[in-house]
Coordinates of all heavy atoms in Angstrom, one line a residue:
F111 N 101.4 97.8 94.7 CA 100.7 99.0 94.4 C 101.5 99.9 93.5 O 102.7 99.8 93.5 CB 100.3 99.7 95.6 CG 101.4 100.0 96.6 CD1 102.3 101.0 96.4 CD2 101.6 99.2 97.7 CE1 103.3 101.2 97.3 CE2 102.6 99.4 98.6 CZ 103.5 100.4 98.4
G112 N 100.9 100.7 92.7 CA 101.6 101.6 91.8 C 102.0 102.9 92.6 O 101.4 103.2 93.6
M113 N 103.1 103.5 92.2 CA 103.6 104.7 92.9 C 102.6 105.8 92.9 O 102.4 106.5 93.9 CB 105.0 105.1 92.4 CG 106.1 104.1 92.6 SD 106.3 103.8 94.4 CE 106.0 102.1 94.6
P114 N 101.9 106.1 91.7 CA 100.9 107.1 91.7 C 99.8 106.8 92.7 O 99.3 107.7 93.4 CB 100.4 107.2 90.3 CG 101.5 106.7 89.5 CD 102.2 105.6 90.4
A115 N 99.5 105.6 92.9 CA 98.4 105.2 93.8 C 98.7 105.5 95.3 O 97.9 106.0 96.0 CB 98.0 103.7 93.7
I116 N 100.0 105.2 95.7 CA 100.4 105.5 97.0 C 100.5 107.0 97.3 O 100.2 107.5 98.3 CB 101.7 104.7 97.4 CG1 101.9 104.7 99.0 CG2 102.9 105.3 96.8 CD1 100.9 103.8 99.7
T117 N 100.9 107.7 96.3 CA 101.0 109.2 96.4 C 99.6 109.7 96.6 O 99.4 110.6 97.4 CB 101.6 109.8 95.1 OG1 102.9 109.2 95.0 CG2 101.7 111.3 95.2
Q118 N 98.6 109.2 95.8 CA 97.2 109.6 95.9 C 96.7 109.3 97.3 O 96.0 110.1 97.9 CB 96.4 109.0 94.8 CG 95.0 109.5 94.8 CD 94.9 111.0 94.6 OE1 95.4 111.5 93.6 NE2 94.2 111.7 95.5
K119 N 97.0 108.2 97.8 CA 96.5 107.8 99.2 C 97.1 108.7 100.2 O 96.3 109.2 101.1 CB 97.0 106.3 99.5 CG 96.5 105.8 100.8 CD 95.0 105.9 101.0 CE 94.3 104.9 100.2 NZ 92.9 104.9 100.3
I120 N 98.3 109.1 100.1 CA 99.0 110.1 101.0 C 98.3 111.4 100.9 O 97.9 112.0 101.9 CB 100.5 110.2 100.8 CG1 101.2 108.9 101.2 CG2 101.1 111.4 101.5 CD1 102.6 108.8 100.7
E121 N 98.1 111.9 99.7 CA 97.4 113.2 99.5 C 96.0 113.1 100.0 O 95.5 114.1 100.6 CB 97.5 113.6 98.0 CG 98.9 113.9 97.6 CD 99.0 114.2 96.1 OE1 98.1 113.8 95.3 OE2 100.0 114.8 95.7
D122 N 95.3 112.0 99.8 CA 93.9 111.9 100.4 C 93.9 112.0 101.9 O 93.1 112.7 102.5 CB 93.3 110.5 100.0 CG 93.0 110.4 98.5 OD1 93.0 111.4 97.8 OD2 92.7 109.2 98.1
L123 N 94.9 111.3 102.5 CA 95.0 111.4 104.0 C 95.3 112.8 104.5 O 94.9 113.2 105.6 CB 96.0 110.4 104.5 CG 95.7 109.0 104.4 CD1 96.9 108.1 104.7 CD2 94.5 108.6 105.4
L124 N 96.0 113.6 103.7 CA 96.4 114.9 104.0 C 95.3 115.9 103.7 O 95.3 117.1 104.1 CB 97.7 115.3 103.3 CG 98.9 114.5 103.7 CD1 100.1 114.9 102.9 CD2 99.2 114.8 105.2
G125 N 94.3 115.5 102.9 CA 93.3 116.4 102.5 C 93.7 117.3 101.4 O 93.1 118.4 101.2
V126 N 94.7 116.9 100.6 CA 95.2 117.7 99.5 C 94.4 117.4 98.3 O 94.2 116.3 97.9 CB 96.7 117.4 99.2 CG1 97.2 118.1 98.0 CG2 97.6 117.6 100.4
K127 N 93.8 118.5 97.7 CA 93.0 118.4 96.5 C 94.0 118.1 95.4 O 95.0 118.7 95.2 CB 92.2 119.6 96.2 CG 91.2 119.9 97.3 CD 90.4 121.1 97.0 CE 89.3 121.3 98.1 NZ 88.5 122.5 97.8
P128 N 93.6 117.1 94.5 CA 94.4 116.7 93.4 C 94.5 117.9 92.4 O 93.5 118.6 92.2 CB 93.8 115.5 92.8 CG 92.4 115.4 93.4 CD 92.4 116.2 94.6
K129 N 95.6 118.1 91.8 CA 95.8 119.1 90.8 C 95.1 118.7 89.6 O 95.0 117.5 89.3 CB 97.3 119.4 90.6 CG 98.0 120.0 91.7 CD 99.4 120.2 91.4 CE 100.1 120.8 92.6 NZ 101.5 121.0 92.4
E130 N 94.6 119.7 88.8 CA 94.0 119.4 87.6 C 95.0 118.8 86.6 O 96.1 119.2 86.5 CB 93.5 120.7 87.0 CG 92.7 120.6 85.7 CD 92.1 122.0 85.3 OE1 92.8 123.0 85.5 OE2 91.1 122.0 84.7
S131 N 94.6 117.7 85.9 CA 95.5 117.1 85.0 C 95.7 118.0 83.7 O 94.9 118.9 83.5 CB 95.0 115.7 84.5 OG 93.9 115.9 83.6
L132 N 96.7 117.8 83.0 CA 97.0 118.6 81.8 C 95.9 118.4 80.8 O 95.5 119.4 80.2 CB 98.4 118.1 81.2 CG 98.8 118.9 80.0 CD1 99.0 120.4 80.3 CD2 100.2 118.3 79.5
V133 N 95.4 117.2 80.6 CA 94.3 116.9 79.7 C 93.1 117.7 80.1 O 92.5 118.4 79.2 CB 94.0 115.4 79.6 CG1 92.8 115.2 78.8 CG2 95.2 114.7 79.0
D134 N 92.7 117.7 81.4 CA 91.5 118.4 81.8 C 91.7 119.9 81.7 O 90.8 120.7 81.3 CB 91.2 118.1 83.3 CG 90.7 116.7 83.4 OD1 90.2 116.1 82.4 OD2 90.8 116.1 84.6
M135 N 92.9 120.4 81.9 CA 93.2 121.8 81.8 C 93.0 122.3 80.3 O 92.4 123.3 80.0 CB 94.6 122.2 82.2 CG 94.9 123.7 82.2 SD 96.6 124.0 82.8 CE 97.6 123.4 81.5
V136 N 93.5 121.5 79.4 CA 93.4 121.8 77.9 C 91.9 121.8 77.5 O 91.5 122.7 76.8 CB 94.3 120.8 77.1 CG1 93.9 121.0 75.6 CG2 95.7 121.1 77.3
K137 N 91.2 120.8 78.0 CA 89.8 120.7 77.7 C 89.0 121.9 78.2 O 88.2 122.5 77.5 CB 89.1 119.5 78.3 CG 89.5 118.2 77.6 CD 88.8 117.0 78.3 CE 89.1 115.7 77.6 NZ 88.6 114.6 78.3
R138 N 89.3 122.3 79.4 CA 88.7 123.5 80.0 C 89.0 124.8 79.3 O 88.1 125.6 79.0 CB 89.1 123.6 81.5 CG 88.4 124.8 82.2 CD 88.8 124.8 83.7 NE 90.2 124.7 84.0 CZ 91.1 125.7 83.9 NH1 90.7 126.9 83.5 NH2 92.3 125.5 84.2
Q139 N 90.2 124.9 78.9 CA 90.7 126.1 78.2 C 90.1 126.2 76.8 O 89.7 127.2 76.3 CB 92.2 126.2 78.1 CG 92.9 126.4 79.5 CD 92.5 127.8 80.1 OE1 92.3 128.8 79.4 NE2 92.4 127.8 81.4
T140 N 90.1 125.0 76.1 CA 89.6 125.0 74.7 C 88.1 125.1 74.6 O 87.5 125.5 73.6 CB 90.1 123.8 73.9 OG1 89.7 122.6 74.6 CG2 91.6 123.9 73.8
S141 N 87.4 124.7 75.7 CA 85.9 124.8 75.6 C 85.4 126.2 75.6 O 84.3 126.5 75.2 CB 85.3 124.1 76.8 OG 85.6 124.8 78.0

Side-chain angles (χ1 to χ4, degrees):
F111 50 80
M113 293 300 118
I116 197 70
T117 303
Q118 184 61 56
K119 180 59 68 181
I120 290 167
E121 289 174 343
D122 290 348
L123 288 171
L124 297 173
V126 174
K127 293 183 181 178
K129 293 181 179 175
E130 184 176 35
S131 73
L132 182 58
V133 172
D134 290 339
M135 184 177 71
V136 170
K137 285 180 183 177
R138 183 175 46 79
Q139 294 296 327
T140 57
S141 69

